[in-house]
């Protein structure tokens, strides 16, 4: 231990007292400047009178040769003159006796074949075999600075050399170990930022090694010489990697596009400096270093000051990590203005650079640790609002179930949130939502232990399940009054609205409620029940909806229907029934309307009003429509053999209006069965025409180009205007059965039916009445000059084979109505 203390103390002495060592001994230091840079050692020896005494501080100027003479004025010893510091340039050490050069040593970073001792700690003997020598030193450096000299014995020299080698080895080992470790992380994690940082560490290590001679201990001689010759370019390359480090760790991570171009310009500027520095005089390289450093420094200032308020800790960490190298470079640049500090620059370089590398590695550790924390946080919380997510809700509910505590789940969805995103942007919507959730949380906190508290047992947990679905959990037994309180709190918070160009978008809520253990006994089932309750909420109201087992049964049946419907198409469980249609005036058969029927082995007879909406919502409606058209036209091909002018009406879902595939299928089937297109009528509901107003004009044009006719079905239920209908020009208008079934006794329905017939005829359309269930209704519509009718009075819908028999029988009857009533 004492040996280590002694070595450290000796090193500190070298650092702090290097300029005083010569002055304290009996040596004379003289110097002379060679502004011509042409004087040889012989000329300098002859000009001994030109030397002037030095005060011990040997200062040199870049590009100007300085000669230093050290003369002993005491008894001969075995001491040697040692150059404690390294310079960016060359040193020539001459041992002179009686005016003649006895020994000569050249020290230069480019001369890598020299022994490491000359690079690390150049020296030359002042005494040999009791012979005293004068020592001449020629200094020619790229930059201005000071040269620390010391006279010491061989034992002291060996200790100093060992200390210097130790410092260089430790610092280089730290640099390359950290660089290698970061590179492995970059490869294993496929992170460009880490690869850039590893490259920066390597560049800094190489440049430092070229300055203090450590490269000669690590690399082959030729490679060390190459690094020394091009260390200016390596310095500028390290600045490029420093800019890329800032880009990957700050600019890209913050998704700040306004600095992307600035980073690119900075990289190209530094690359240009690296290219320009090669053909120019190496003595001007410090100017390029200064320009490159300023570019990098200004970029860091611009980017970090913009991030300071939002990312204060990270900005401070980056500033601290870069402060050692900034301080050292400031020291180097200040030397050019004659400001010096009596400390060996080579050792100072190693200390500050090593500190910089270690601090950057510490920043990387801190950064990745925070990133891991952030990832773990976002695994359980929403990124936009910081609210706990579905996973946390599941954990909370499972914990309550395990502890057998009664609780109620309240799900809510802000209806206007999507509108805000579309009109104001996602960021604005998230900022607005975050404020609202904080406000709601503060208001809910006033209810104390009636809600589940957050992790700090202070703030209420409002969970975010997806983009627009949120939840809170109420503790205790289910009470309607408690639910009403929370619904009022939520509604009041969201009803204040969102400002949009001076107008307020009022944010209403859909709210669904389910309770444990009344409605469900586990977390998954409770969430499902609450979602079903919210889905069953009456449209157009702001009231909350409690889970109802009846709605659950309906939902389960819808799921079964959706899953069984596709199988029904493949296994031919579907069938088309045909309901006859008559000319009301003549009583002759006009045709039939094809009606879809489904008989499921387990579900039984499923009416179209139940499975058609399921087919539309699940996307199976397209396959269903194609099956109906293909089967219907195949039946029509057989029916026209019995009745050549037979007309078949097919119902088209509103989801199919405008589908080009449907038009193509109709063309193919009409040609395949050689049918007359005018004897095929496509019926579209009035509500579907209103929903597809933008595409319906083109669609009707496509159908008419084929020769098909189009009818508007369920007229009177879609709230369409007469002008709109006249523009579309439907071939047929079908009165809804609710106006027909009691037309014989209802004055209102009589007025509606007569007005509809008159209007349709004035527009050039044929009128079809459905739901005729008595002879009186038939006669009334006949008096209103209704063209075609169908209903139970005429016939119920019949299977295809039965319909063929009915049709065959009715063809021979002259007056079907007389036949039906007789």
């Amino acid at each position: 231990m004492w040996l280590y203390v002694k070595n450290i103390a000796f090193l500190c002495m070298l650092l702090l007292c290097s300029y005083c060592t010569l002055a304290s001994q009996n040596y004379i230091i003289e110097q002379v400047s060679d502004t011509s840079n042409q004087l040889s050692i012989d000329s300098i020896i002859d000009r001994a009178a030109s030397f002037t005494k030095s005060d011990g501080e040997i200062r040199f100027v870049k590009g100007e040769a300085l000669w230093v003479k050290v003369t002993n004025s005491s008894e001969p010893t075995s001491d040697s003159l040692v150059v404690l510091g390294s310079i960016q340039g060359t040193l020539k050490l001459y041992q002179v006796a009686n005016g003649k050069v006895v020994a000569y040593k050249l020290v230069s970073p480019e001369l890598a074949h020299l022994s490491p001792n000359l690079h690390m700690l150049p020296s030359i003997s002042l005494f040999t075999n009791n012979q005293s020598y004068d020592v001449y030193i020629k200094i020619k450096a790229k930059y201005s600075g000071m040269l620390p000299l010391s006279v010491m014995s061989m034992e002291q020299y060996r200790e100093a050399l060992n200390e210097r080698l130790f410092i260089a080895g430790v610092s280089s080992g730290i640099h390359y170990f950290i660089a290698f470790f970061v590179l492995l992380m970059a490869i294993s994690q496929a992170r460009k930022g880490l690869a850039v940082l590893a490259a920066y560490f390597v560049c800094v290590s190489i440049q430092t090694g070229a300055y203090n001679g450590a490269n000669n201990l690590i690399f082959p001689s030729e490679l060390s010489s190459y690094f020394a010759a091009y260390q200016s370019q390596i310095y500028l390359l390290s600045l490029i990697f420093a800019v890329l480090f800032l880009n990957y760790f700050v600019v890209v991570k913050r998704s700040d596009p306004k600095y992307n171009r600035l980073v690119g310009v900075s990289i190209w500027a530094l690359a240009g400096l690296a290219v320009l520095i090669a053909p120019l005089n190496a003595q001007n390289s410090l100017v390029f270093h200064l320009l490159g450093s300023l570019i990098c420094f200004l970029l860091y200032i611009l980017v970090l000051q913009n991030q300071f308020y939002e990312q204060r800790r990270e900005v401070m960490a980056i500033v601290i990590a870069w402060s050692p190298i900034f301080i050292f470079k400031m020291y180097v640049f200040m030397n050019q203005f004659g400001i010096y500090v009596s400390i060996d620059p080579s050792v100072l370089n190693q200390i500050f650079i090593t500190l910089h590398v270690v601090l950057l590695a510490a920043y990387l550790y801190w950064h990745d640790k925070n990133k891991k924390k952030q990832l773990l946080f976002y695994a359980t919380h929403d990124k936009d609002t910081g609210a706990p997510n579905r996973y946390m809700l599941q954990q909370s509910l499972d914990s309550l179930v395990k502890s057998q505590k009664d609780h109620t789940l309240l799900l809510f969805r802000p209806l206007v949130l999507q509108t805000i995103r579309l009109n104001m942007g996602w960021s604005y919507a998230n900022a607005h939502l975050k404020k609202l959730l904080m406000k709601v949380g503060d208001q809910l906190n006033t209810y104390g232990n009636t809600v589940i508290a957050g992790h700090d047992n202070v703030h209420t947990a409002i969970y975010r399940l997806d983009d627009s679905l949120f939840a809170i959990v109420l503790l205790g037994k289910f009470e309607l009054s408690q639910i009403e309180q929370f619904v009022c709190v939520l509604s009041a918070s969201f009803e204040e609205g969102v400002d949009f160009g001076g107008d307020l978008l009022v944010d209403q809520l859909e709210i669904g409620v389910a309770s444990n253990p009344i409605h469900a006994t586990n977390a998954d089932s409770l969430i499902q029940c609450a979602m079903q309750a919210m889905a069953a909420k009456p449209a157009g109201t702001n009231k909350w909806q409690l889970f109802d087992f009846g709605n659950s049964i309906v939902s389960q049946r819808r799921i079964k229907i959706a899953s069984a419907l596709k199988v029904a198409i493949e296994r031919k469980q579907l069938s088309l029934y045909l309901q006859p249609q008559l000319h009301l005036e003549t009583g002759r058969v006009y045709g039939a309307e094809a009606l879809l029927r489904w008989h499921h082995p387990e579900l039984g007879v499923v009416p179209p009003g139940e499975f058609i909406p399921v087919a539309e919502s699940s996307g199976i409606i397209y396959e269903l429509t194609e099956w109906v058209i293909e089967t219907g036209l195949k039946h029509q091909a057989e029916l026209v053999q019995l009745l050549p002018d037979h007309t078949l009406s097919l119902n088209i879902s509103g989801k199919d209006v405008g589908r080009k595939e449907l038009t193509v299928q109709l063309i193919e089937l009409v040609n395949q069965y050689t049918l007359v297109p005018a004897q095929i009528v496509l019926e579209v509901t009035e509500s579907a025409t209103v929903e597809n107003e933008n595409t319906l004009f083109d669609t009707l044009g496509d159908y008419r180009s084929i020769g098909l006719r189009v009818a508007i079905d369920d007229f009177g239920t879609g709230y369409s205007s007469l002008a709109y209908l006249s523009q579309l020009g439907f071939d047929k208008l079908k009165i809804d059965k609710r106006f027909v079934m009691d037309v014989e006794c209802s004055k209102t329905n009589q007025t509606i039916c007569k007005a509809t017939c008159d209007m349709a005829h004035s527009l050039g359309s044929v009128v079809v009445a459905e739901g005729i269930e008595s002879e009186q209704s038939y006669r009334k519509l006949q008096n209103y000059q209704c063209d075609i009718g169908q209903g139970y009075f005429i016939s119920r819908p019949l299977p295809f084979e039965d319909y063929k028999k009915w049709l065959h029988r009715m063809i021979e009857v002259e007056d079907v109505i007389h036949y039906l009533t007789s």
Side-chain angles (χ1 to χ4, degrees):
M1 178 63 71
W2 171 247
L3 179 61
Y4 289 125
V5 173
K6 176 183 176 183
N7 291 337
I8 293 173
F10 181 71
L11 177 61
C12 293
M13 180 270 293
L14 289 178
L15 290 174
L16 299 176
C17 306
S18 56
Y19 295 104
C20 304
T21 305
L22 254 130
S24 63
Q25 299 182 19
N26 297 319
Y27 296 97
I28 300 173
I29 305 174
E30 299 173 296
Q31 63 184 46
V32 64
S33 296
D34 177 14
T35 55
S36 66
N37 294 328
Q38 300 295 325
L39 296 179
S40 64
I41 180 62
D42 295 328
S43 301
I44 289 296
I45 293 173
D46 293 338
R47 297 187 181 187
S50 301
F51 279 87
T52 58
K53 273 194 174 184
S54 173
D55 57 359
E57 294 185 349
I58 304 169
R59 304 183 181 184
F60 51 86
V61 182
K62 70 173 183 177
E64 182 178 305
L66 176 69
W67 288 88
V68 178
K69 178 183 178 183
V70 180
T71 306
N72 179 29
S73 60
S74 62
E75 294 295 326
T77 64
S78 59
D79 293 342
S80 297
L81 179 64
V82 179
V83 180
L84 296 175
S86 302
I87 65 168
Q88 294 288 326
T90 58
L91 288 176
K92 295 181 180 179
L93 285 73
Y94 299 90
Q95 193 180 54
V96 179
N98 300 323
K100 294 182 179 181
V101 177
V102 177
Y104 162 71
K105 292 182 180 180
L106 173 62
V107 181
S108 173
E110 287 84 357
L111 300 177
H113 62 275
L114 299 177
S115 65
N117 294 4
L118 286 179
H119 288 286
M120 304 292 294
L121 207 62
S123 66
I124 193 168
S125 298
L126 286 168
F127 303 94
T128 303
N129 298 326
N130 293 325
Q131 173 69 42
S132 179
Y133 299 101
D134 294 336
V135 173
Y136 287 80
I137 305 174
K138 182 180 181 181
I139 307 167
K140 189 173 183 182
K142 296 179 182 178
Y143 316 132
S144 301
M146 294 186 67
L147 187 70
L149 301 176
S150 180
V151 176
M152 60 184 69
S153 65
M154 288 301 297
E155 182 179 353
Q156 292 175 322
Y157 175 76
R158 282 191 294 270
E159 290 182 4
L161 180 61
N162 289 336
E163 296 290 345
R164 189 66 62 89
L165 289 172
F166 175 77
I167 294 174
V170 169
S171 62
S172 298
I174 292 174
H175 298 174
Y176 288 109
F177 174 78
I178 292 176
F180 179 72
F181 184 76
V182 172
L183 181 60
L184 287 181
M185 289 177 60
I187 294 173
S188 62
Q189 301 177 18
R191 291 171 60 184
K192 295 180 181 178
L194 293 181
V196 164
L197 189 57
Y200 173 77
F201 286 152
V202 171
C203 288
V204 167
S205 303
I206 290 174
Q207 190 195 10
T208 303
Y211 186 66
N212 60 28
N215 285 347
N216 301 86
L217 301 175
I218 302 171
F219 301 107
S221 300
E222 294 76 8
L223 196 58
S224 298
S225 299
Y226 180 85
F227 289 151
Y230 293 96
Q231 57 180 304
S232 293
Q233 285 85 348
I234 294 174
Y235 175 72
L236 293 173
L237 182 62
S238 69
L239 293 182
I240 292 177
F241 287 126
V243 170
L244 289 173
F245 161 80
L246 183 70
N247 178 62
Y248 284 114
F249 279 82
V250 178
V251 177
V252 173
K253 186 173 66 173
R254 306 285 178 240
S255 299
D256 203 346
K258 64 182 178 181
Y259 290 114
N260 289 335
R261 186 174 180 181
L262 189 58
V263 168
V265 170
S266 301
I267 292 174
W268 280 109
L270 292 171
L273 291 176
V275 172
L276 288 174
I277 203 173
L280 299 179
N281 192 324
Q283 294 178 354
N284 298 321
S285 60
L286 189 64
V287 176
F288 290 88
H289 288 194
L290 180 59
L291 289 175
S293 300
L294 283 175
I295 291 173
C296 190
F297 177 74
L298 291 176
L299 178 65
Y300 267 72
I301 290 296
L302 286 174
V303 174
L304 295 181
Q305 64 87 21
N306 183 61
Q307 300 289 334
F308 182 73
Y309 292 103
E310 295 181 2
Q311 307 292 333
R312 187 186 302 266
R313 293 179 61 194
E314 183 170 9
V315 170
M316 291 303 299
I318 293 176
V319 170
I320 291 172
W322 285 93
S323 57
I325 197 169
F326 173 76
I327 293 172
F328 177 74
K329 288 302 176 183
M330 286 294 296
Y331 165 73
V332 172
F333 292 137
M334 285 191 303
N335 284 350
Q336 312 312 304
F337 299 98
I339 303 174
Y340 303 100
V341 178
S342 300
I343 300 178
D344 181 3
S346 62
V347 177
L348 194 68
N349 181 21
Q350 293 181 73
I351 293 174
F352 276 92
I353 295 299
T354 302
L355 182 60
H356 168 61
V357 170
V358 170
L359 288 176
L360 264 183
Y363 163 78
L364 178 62
Y365 171 78
W366 175 84
H367 175 272
D368 282 7
K369 187 177 180 181
N370 278 358
K371 185 178 180 181
K372 185 177 180 181
K373 276 184 176 180
Q374 195 175 42
L375 290 175
L376 291 174
F377 178 80
Y378 287 139
T380 57
H381 291 75
D382 174 59
K383 186 176 182 180
D384 296 324
T385 60
N389 60 14
R390 180 185 173 87
Y391 172 78
M392 292 296 287
L393 175 63
Q394 187 89 21
Q395 294 294 315
S396 298
L397 293 177
D398 287 340
S399 176
L400 290 172
V401 171
K402 189 175 181 180
S403 59
Q404 297 182 348
K405 292 182 179 179
D406 294 345
H407 54 279
T408 298
L409 177 64
L410 192 151
L411 295 182
F412 62 94
R413 177 182 283 116
L415 297 180
V416 82
L417 189 58
Q418 184 64 20
T419 304
I420 301 174
R421 288 174 182 151
L422 290 174
N423 291 280
M424 305 180 192
W426 196 278
S427 299
Y428 184 91
N430 285 334
H432 167 71
L433 183 61
K434 192 172 183 178
K435 291 179 181 178
L436 280 176
L437 292 180
M438 290 177 63
K439 179 180 178 181
V440 173
D442 291 340
Q443 292 183 357
L444 292 177
N445 287 335
T446 60
Y447 288 90
N449 60 2
T450 59
V451 295
I452 292 181
H455 298 293
D456 54 5
N457 294 322
V458 175
H459 299 291
T460 298
I462 302 177
Y463 302 91
R464 187 175 190 180
L465 278 66
D466 58 28
D467 289 341
S468 58
L469 184 61
F470 303 86
I472 60 174
V473 183
L474 313 181
L475 294 177
K477 291 185 177 181
F478 175 78
E479 294 182 5
L480 288 175
S481 59
Q482 185 189 49
I483 302 299
E484 290 288 355
Q485 280 184 323
F486 283 99
V487 169
C488 290
V489 171
L490 290 174
S491 299
S493 300
F494 283 88
E495 283 177 356
E496 291 184 4
V498 183
D499 181 58
F500 179 58
D503 299 324
L504 286 179
L505 296 176
V506 179
D507 204 351
Q508 298 178 352
L509 297 177
E510 287 182 344
I511 302 175
V513 179
S515 182
N516 178 300
I518 299 174
H519 302 125
T521 56
N522 59 69
D524 287 335
S525 299
L526 188 65
I527 295 174
Q528 181 184 4
C529 291
M531 293 184 69
Q532 289 180 1
M534 187 168 57
K537 189 183 78 66
T541 70
N542 296 323
K543 296 180 180 179
W544 59 277
Q545 184 73 17
L546 183 64
F547 173 75
D548 180 50
F549 285 101
N551 291 334
S552 175
I553 294 172
V554 171
S555 299
Q556 292 175 7
R557 180 173 172 85
R558 286 175 62 89
I559 294 172
K560 287 183 180 180
I561 290 174
S563 61
L565 194 54
K566 188 173 182 63
V567 178
I569 299 174
E570 298 172 353
R571 297 183 180 179
K572 300 181 180 180
Q573 295 175 355
L574 300 173
S575 59
L576 280 183
Y577 278 48
L578 301 178
Q579 186 169 27
Q581 295 177 334
L582 300 181
H583 289 284
L584 296 184
E585 183 178 357
T586 64
R588 303 293 295 177
V589 177
Y590 172 77
E593 179 186 5
L595 301 173
L596 186 60
R597 294 293 182 264
W598 179 23
H599 187 277
H600 190 269
E602 296 179 5
L603 299 174
V605 176
V606 185
E610 184 176 6
F611 70 79
I612 292 296
V614 175
E616 289 179 338
S617 62
S618 61
I620 307 176
I621 190 64
Y622 307 124
E623 298 179 40
L624 205 59
T625 301
E626 290 175 359
W627 183 90
V628 168
I629 290 176
E630 183 175 358
T631 306
L633 296 189
K634 183 179 179 181
H635 290 344
Q636 174 71 355
E638 295 186 36
L639 295 174
V640 294
Q641 301 297 323
L642 298 174
L643 183 65
D645 59 349
H646 184 275
T647 299
L648 181 68
S649 297
L650 299 170
N651 291 283
I652 302 299
S653 167
K655 297 288 185 179
D656 288 303
V657 175
R659 282 182 62 227
K660 297 297 182 181
E661 296 86 352
L662 183 61
T663 306
V664 173
Q665 184 192 19
L666 286 166
I667 294 174
E668 292 177 351
L669 292 174
V670 166
N671 293 330
Q672 178 181 346
Y673 295 116
T674 61
L675 299 174
V676 179
Q679 294 176 215
I680 301 170
V681 180
L682 301 180
E683 295 187 3
V684 183
T685 60
E686 185 182 1
S687 58
T689 64
V690 176
E691 292 173 2
N692 298 275
E693 180 179 355
N694 296 329
T695 61
L696 199 56
F697 288 97
D698 296 335
T699 302
L700 294 180
D702 293 339
Y703 293 153
R704 290 195 178 98
S705 65
I706 303 172
L708 304 175
R709 288 186 290 173
V710 183
I712 181 169
D713 195 11
D714 299 334
F715 179 76
T717 61
Y719 310 104
S720 57
S721 66
L722 297 178
Y724 173 65
L725 294 177
S726 64
Q727 290 175 1
L728 292 176
F730 284 98
D731 301 292
K732 292 184 179 182
L733 190 151
K734 198 169 186 180
I735 306 175
D736 188 68
K737 62 183 178 181
R738 72 183 68 178
F739 304 120
V740 176
M741 294 179 69
D742 57 350
V743 69
E744 71 274 9
C745 58
S746 172
K747 295 293 184 182
T748 302
N749 288 345
Q750 290 173 7
T751 303
I752 291 174
C753 289
K754 187 176 187 308
T756 302
C757 291
D758 294 340
M759 179 199 67
H761 290 149
S762 66
L763 294 176
S765 299
V766 175
V767 183
V768 181
E770 61 177 347
I772 302 176
E773 297 190 355
S774 65
E775 183 180 359
Q776 291 80 4
S777 297
Y778 183 96
R779 298 302 179 188
K780 280 283 184 184
L781 292 168
Q782 194 178 42
N783 293 334
Y784 299 152
Q785 297 182 347
C786 182
D787 301 296
I788 299 166
Q790 68 183 77
Y792 284 4
F793 171 69
I794 300 170
S795 175
R796 290 177 177 271
L798 302 171
F800 178 63
E801 294 298 329
D802 293 345
Y803 176 76
K804 284 201 302 181
K805 295 177 183 178
W806 182 91
L807 181 61
H808 183 75
R809 187 169 62 252
M810 293 302 154
I811 290 174
E812 300 175 355
V813 177
E814 294 183 1
D815 188 348
V816 176
I817 299 302
H818 182 269
Y819 174 80
L820 293 175
T821 55
S822 61

